[in-house]
């Protein structure tokens, strides 16, 4: 997906393709979470893309950092990288892996609908800033009202209600308030079209 985005106008997919691809990844993640498997590196880099019958088909790949984690179990291992790493993971605090995956899914949605680089452009963490400092700036940004719409519009003024609604429930600074992957599938499926 990362390579596909780099070749698209505005470094993003069309609205319909962005919502469809994110729904596919959310569905894969929902399946994994249902069997207590967490990916721990959800990002455009770990989504393969191919065309089949004039439709983009996405697959969540690279399970090298995946772990079997029952509900209410925490981890402390740093997995992932900016921009998609969940704040609690980057801060190396004990975290719940399923909500961390859902944060990463939210960043992926932001990057495919708003444009690759949307998070960094909207938050503008300092170049050379430590991961911890950049993460704190990301958390402060998303704690502000209107930040999700601002992030989506940061590159070219993109605005989409369906994507915005999903971003608001996935990119919550509080992990216990984030939508699950199955909630994201339902929300995106209901709002597409």
């Amino acid at each position: 997906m990362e390579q596909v985005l780099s070749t698209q106008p505005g470094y993003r997919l069309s609205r319909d393709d962005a919502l469809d691809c994110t729904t596919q990844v959310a569905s894969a993640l929902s399946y994994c979470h249902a069997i207590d498997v967490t990916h721990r590196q959800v990002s455009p880099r770990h989504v393969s893309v191919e065309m089949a019958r004039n439709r983009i088909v996405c697959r969540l790949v690279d399970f090298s950092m995946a772990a079997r984690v029952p509900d209410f179990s925490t981890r402390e291992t740093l997995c992932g990288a900016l921009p998609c790493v969940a704040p609690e993971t980057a801060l190396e605090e004990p975290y719940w892996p399923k909500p961390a995956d859902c944060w990463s899914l939210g960043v992926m949605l932001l990057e495919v609908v708003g444009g690759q680089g949307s998070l960094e452009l909207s938050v503008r963490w300092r170049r050379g800033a430590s991961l911890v400092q950049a993460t704190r700036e990301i958390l402060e940004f998303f704690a502000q009202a209107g930040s999700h719409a601002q992030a989506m519009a940061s590159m070219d003024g993109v605005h989409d209600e369906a994507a915005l609604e999903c971003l608001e429930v996935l990119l919550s600074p509080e992990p216990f308030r984030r939508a699950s992957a199955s909630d994201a599938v339902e929300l995106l499926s209901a709002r597409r079209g």
Side-chain angles (χ1 to χ4, degrees), residues 26-27 46 55 68 70-71 79 92 98 132 143 145 161 171 192:
S27 181
H46 296 118
R55 178 177 182 234
R68 183 173 278 290
D71 286 338
C79 298
E92 297 187 48
K98 290 177 185 178
V132 169
E161 283 299 319
L171 296 179
R192 280 193 350 241

Side-chain angles (χ1 to χ4, degrees), residues 47-162:
V47 174
S48 72
V49 177
E50 65 182 68
M51 288 298 292
R53 298 182 190 167
N54 295 325
R55 178 177 182 234
I56 298 175
V57 176
C58 297
R59 290 183 179 83
L60 187 60
V61 297
D62 189 358
F63 283 76
S64 62
M65 296 299 292
R68 183 173 278 290
V69 183
D71 286 338
F72 308 111
S73 294
T74 61
R75 293 291 188 263
E76 293 183 32
T77 307
L78 174 61
C79 298
L82 286 172
C84 293
V85 65
E88 61 274 15
T89 305
L91 295 173
E92 297 187 48
E93 300 171 352
Y95 64 91
W96 294 299
K98 290 177 185 178
D101 275 354
C102 292
W103 171 278
S104 300
L105 177 67
V107 175
M108 194 192 97
L109 171 59
L110 174 63
E111 299 280 306
V112 298
V113 82
Q116 191 174 35
S118 291
L119 182 62
E120 185 173 1
L121 186 60
S122 58
V123 176
R124 298 183 187 264
W125 60 83
R126 291 176 289 119
R127 286 272 179 211
S130 70
L131 178 60
V132 169
Q133 182 58 40
T135 298
R136 287 189 178 124
E137 292 174 26
I138 291 167
L139 283 171
E140 288 174 19
F141 176 80
F142 283 112
Q144 300 170 31
S147 58
H148 299 84
Q150 182 182 342
M152 188 171 35
S154 65
M155 291 187 75
D156 290 322
V158 172
H159 180 79
D160 182 86
E161 283 299 319

